[in-house]
Amino acid sequence: MFKHSFVKRILLIAFLLLVVLFFLKLIPFWFLFIPALLYLVAIAVGSYFIQLNYFLVSFNKSTKQEKKIALTFDDGPITEKTLHLLDLLKAEDVKATFFLIGKNIRGNENVVRRIVEDGHLVGSHSYSHTNAFPLFSKEKIMNDIAKGNEAIERVTGRNVLWFRPPFGVTNPNIAKAVTELKLQSIGWSIRSYDTVINDEQKLLSRLEKTKAGDIILLHDWGAKTLAVLPSFVSKYKALGFEFVGVDELMRK
């Protein structure tokens, strides 16, 4: 099982075995560095791919075979762009989940209220969303997340239950902080790469890989995202799919 604690134990056992083999002069000295190298690779892969649940168990996809999928939008609220997206979702009668950055809420309280009034789900995407977030201590991560939660709760009047780590990166400190704050980490099964794909048709092609139970990662500030969503939604509605919040996918 690809879990941090399990990998550590296995690689420690492997290292001890290699030490024995080295003292028996059956292997060269440099073999002793192999477990350490594999450990670093495991950390890098486990940190980047949230779906692996390497450090932190996240909800990434529903295993039920119901024709339900969840659109999730990171990084808002961003005034006009988020409002434009909300207009689009309302016109299509689609529910989604928004992971909000706490520092973006001041001055955009009306946008947050509109998200809730339209029946969408709201989760936290930290307060700062700084590039250094994964390098913070556990205490600093907890304070940052708590500050973001407070900013959301102050406007919505609802407790924050869901959290998406900035950049989808996880590590032991983030895992401990999320667990202690009693939040459910939410990942994804379809990464749209809507922040880097310049071609609308390529973006639409990625979205059309969606299957039942998928959680789709999008951002609410991209013009390309807004441009392709109507086509994507129309196609999947015609196929009998329902667009729901992640809480609906999690229901047993």
Side-chain angles (χ1 to χ4, degrees):
M1 187 180 293
F2 192 66
K3 302 289 183 184
H4 184 53
S5 57
F6 178 77
V7 170
K8 279 199 303 184
R9 287 196 296 269
I10 292 299
L11 291 180
L12 177 59
I13 293 170
F15 175 73
L16 294 175
L17 288 174
L18 289 173
V19 168
V20 172
L21 293 175
F22 170 72
F23 279 107
L24 292 175
K25 298 183 178 181
L26 296 176
I27 59 171
F29 177 73
W30 66 267
F31 269 48
L32 300 181
F33 294 98
I34 293 177
L37 178 61
L38 292 176
Y39 181 67
L40 292 175
V41 171
I43 286 178
V45 173
S47 296
Y48 182 76
F49 293 101
I50 194 170
Q51 301 91 343
L52 295 175
N53 293 333
Y54 185 68
F55 295 109
L56 173 67
V57 176
S58 300
F59 182 73
N60 305 300
K61 177 182 173 66
S62 172
T63 56
K64 294 183 291 186
Q65 294 304 307
E66 297 176 338
K67 280 194 165 185
K68 295 181 179 181
I69 50 183
L71 296 176
T72 65
F73 297 93
D74 289 3
D75 295 356
I78 309 173
T79 319
E80 295 303 322
K81 293 182 178 179
T82 306
L83 288 174
H84 186 183
L85 172 60
L86 288 170
D87 288 341
L88 188 157
L89 295 176
K90 189 170 185 177
E92 298 288 348
D93 192 25
V94 164
K95 302 307 178 190
T97 304
F98 288 78
F99 291 98
L100 306 181
I101 298 175
K103 68 180 182 182
N104 289 345
I105 291 177
R106 177 172 288 185
N108 286 310
E109 290 86 353
N110 64 315
V111 181
V112 178
R113 282 189 283 269
R114 167 80 187 278
I115 291 172
V116 174
E117 288 168 1
D118 283 1
H120 303 296
L121 203 64
V122 173
S124 171
H125 201 33
S126 81
Y127 179 84
S128 64
H129 200 284
T130 173
N131 291 337
F133 184 88
L135 303 177
F136 288 171
S137 65
K138 185 198 81 171
E139 290 72 22
K140 192 170 182 179
I141 290 171
M142 286 188 69
N143 290 336
D144 188 284
I145 296 173
K147 189 176 180 181
N149 290 354
E150 289 168 8
I152 295 170
E153 292 168 357
R154 195 179 305 119
V155 178
T156 66
R158 301 178 182 181
N159 292 334
V160 174
L161 303 175
W162 299 277
F163 175 73
R164 174 169 284 165
F167 319 108
V169 172
T170 61
N171 60 38
N173 285 338
I174 293 174
K176 290 174 185 175
V178 172
T179 300
E180 290 189 29
L181 289 169
K182 295 180 171 57
L183 297 171
Q184 172 63 58
S185 177
I186 303 295
W188 57 80
S189 50
I190 298 290
R191 187 167 195 163
S192 67
Y193 289 101
D194 59 339
T195 60
V196 295
I197 293 179
N198 294 318
D199 185 276
E200 291 180 7
Q201 189 55 51
K202 286 183 179 179
L203 175 57
L204 185 58
S205 295
R206 284 195 65 84
L207 293 178
E208 289 177 345
K209 295 178 180 178
T210 299
K211 296 186 173 80
D214 275 336
I215 297 176
I216 306 171
L217 169 62
L218 295 157
H219 298 79
D220 57 0
W221 48 266
K224 295 184 300 297
T225 302
L226 294 174
V228 303
L229 268 179
S231 296
F232 171 69
V233 169
S234 295
K235 177 176 180 178
Y236 272 73
K237 275 188 172 182
L239 292 172
F241 282 85
E242 181 184 0
F243 292 86
V244 300
V246 293
D247 58 337
E248 177 70 21
L249 286 188
M250 293 178 71
R251 288 176 190 159
K252 295 181 179 179

